[in-house]
Amino acid sequence: MKPPRTLLLQARRLRWWEPVFWLLAFATPLVFPGQALITCEIAIAALFALSLDLILGYAGIVSLGHAAFLGLGGYAAALFAKHVHPDPLAGLALGMGAAALLGAVASLTILRGSDLTRLMVTLGMSLVLLELANKLDWLTGGADGLQGVVPGPVLGRFAFDLQGRTAAWYALSVLLACFALARRVVQSPFGATLVAIRENRLRALAIGIAVNTRLAQVYTLAAALAGAAGALLTQTTGFASLDLFDFHRSADALLTLVIGATGWLYGGIVGAVGLKLLQNLIAAYTPQYWMFWIGLLLVLLVQRERLFAWFRGRRA
């Protein structure tokens, strides 16, 4: 049996298809300029799902309020661009920092209790921030949203265009950087301890792993990545609204991981591509019932193992 260090080093090696995948992703806005906007949406959705996968797929922390970090990062970047400086990268850093700070504080609430307790606490945190943003209408715009958000050129050279190509490449670049960071984390000894905590928390405590510290650290990191997704969303759309904190944002991230699978960083990307393309394709044919068909597909995905077992039984 190979030693753990050797297994970790092997896991860090790039597969042959990974550079090809990212090259194709960055070539999409150039080859298909009409799809640049949806490429940007997919990149942001993938980053948000990636942040959720860090805590759900690797640490086993369930959450229905992950949109709290998305919304805080989005509003922080939007307010910075409108009132302080239009530089997108500075706004992105501020959004990530604000979300990370909230994640560090909120991590105290997920260290105790069962999965059901965490679900309710995380959902409640998101709802509290939603109501707070609604009440502070002098700052956030309330129900009307924060308008007039005009980010400057990326790196002072690449201005956002109407076709969305700059926004797409900007979002893809941030996604790649965050993906590389997340991959480095999960394929390190720190990531191995997260998996140990997910599999058996009591056993992890027994062998000397600082469980609460590890969970707080990964929760803070996941919050920062979610804040980056929120910042990208407001910067590329020029608008921030209460919808950023809405429950459907967290639900969409969970659905994305259902499609792409958890505990695999590419799962968020594959799921985001699948969900966005399905939404556009089904809505084009059945605009009134597209949610029904997506819901049916998700039910089949969740029950796929039982369906396969039933089918094998019928054939036998």
Side-chain angles (χ1 to χ4, degrees):
M1 183 177 178
K2 297 180 180 179
R5 180 177 177 83
T6 303
L7 293 175
L8 286 174
L9 291 175
Q10 289 180 348
R12 291 179 185 176
R13 294 176 183 172
L14 288 176
R15 280 71 171 178
W16 66 267
W17 53 267
E18 292 186 77
V20 176
F21 172 83
W22 288 105
L23 286 174
L24 289 176
F26 277 89
T28 300
L30 188 62
V31 178
F32 304 102
Q35 304 300 319
L37 290 175
I38 191 172
T39 302
C40 179
E41 291 180 17
I42 290 172
I44 295 172
L47 178 55
F48 187 43
L50 171 69
S51 69
L52 181 60
D53 195 25
L54 276 179
I55 60 173
L56 178 61
Y58 288 91
I61 303 172
V62 292
S63 174
L64 283 179
H66 209 55
F69 310 118
L70 178 84
L72 183 61
Y75 269 101
L79 289 168
F80 182 82
K82 185 173 183 179
H83 299 295
V84 182
H85 197 280
D87 181 38
L89 294 179
L92 177 68
L94 179 66
M96 293 181 69
L101 180 60
L102 176 63
V105 175
S107 66
L108 301 175
T109 65
I110 54 94
L111 299 178
R112 298 175 180 269
S114 62
D115 288 343
L116 179 59
T117 304
R118 295 189 186 100
L119 283 173
M120 300 310 297
V121 168
T122 54
L123 178 60
M125 178 180 63
S126 180
L127 293 176
V128 167
L129 289 179
L130 171 64
E131 188 58 28
L132 186 63
N134 185 37
K135 292 297 184 182
L136 298 177
D137 53 355
W138 57 271
L139 179 66
T140 64
D144 295 329
L146 185 65
Q147 304 178 26
V149 179
V150 184
V154 181
L155 299 176
R157 297 182 58 186
F158 306 102
F160 290 94
D161 51 39
L162 294 177
Q163 291 79 17
R165 285 186 294 181
T166 299
W169 282 319
Y170 174 45
L172 285 169
S173 299
V174 175
L175 171 62
L176 178 58
C178 292
F179 179 89
L181 173 62
R183 178 175 179 147
R184 180 71 176 178
V185 168
V186 301
Q187 293 178 350
S188 67
F190 175 82
T193 61
L194 293 179
V195 175
I197 294 169
R198 181 195 67 194
E199 295 299 326
N200 194 315
R201 184 168 178 169
L202 291 178
R203 185 173 295 177
L205 279 169
I207 62 176
I209 296 176
V211 171
N212 288 348
T213 301
R214 293 288 193 274
L215 293 179
Q217 289 170 341
V218 74
Y219 200 77
T220 302
L221 175 61
L225 298 187
L232 287 175
L233 189 58
T234 56
Q235 288 175 345
T236 55
T237 59
F239 182 70
S241 69
L242 299 179
D243 180 71
L244 290 172
F245 292 107
D246 200 85
F247 169 73
H248 81 85
R249 295 284 185 181
S250 301
D252 284 350
L254 286 172
L255 295 180
T256 299
L257 293 178
V258 167
I259 294 175
T262 59
W264 180 52
L265 292 180
Y266 279 102
I269 300 175
V270 172
V273 173
L275 185 60
K276 288 293 182 182
L277 293 182
L278 274 174
Q279 286 177 344
N280 288 349
L281 181 63
I282 297 177
Y285 287 98
T286 58
Q288 297 163 331
Y289 304 107
W290 66 273
M291 293 187 69
F292 165 78
W293 293 109
I294 290 181
L296 178 61
L297 177 63
L298 291 172
V299 170
L300 294 176
L301 285 172
V302 171
Q303 299 294 330
R304 59 184 178 270
E305 292 184 3
R306 293 185 180 180
L307 290 173
F308 288 152
W310 175 84
F311 183 71
R312 293 192 201 100
R314 295 281 292 182
R315 293 189 64 181

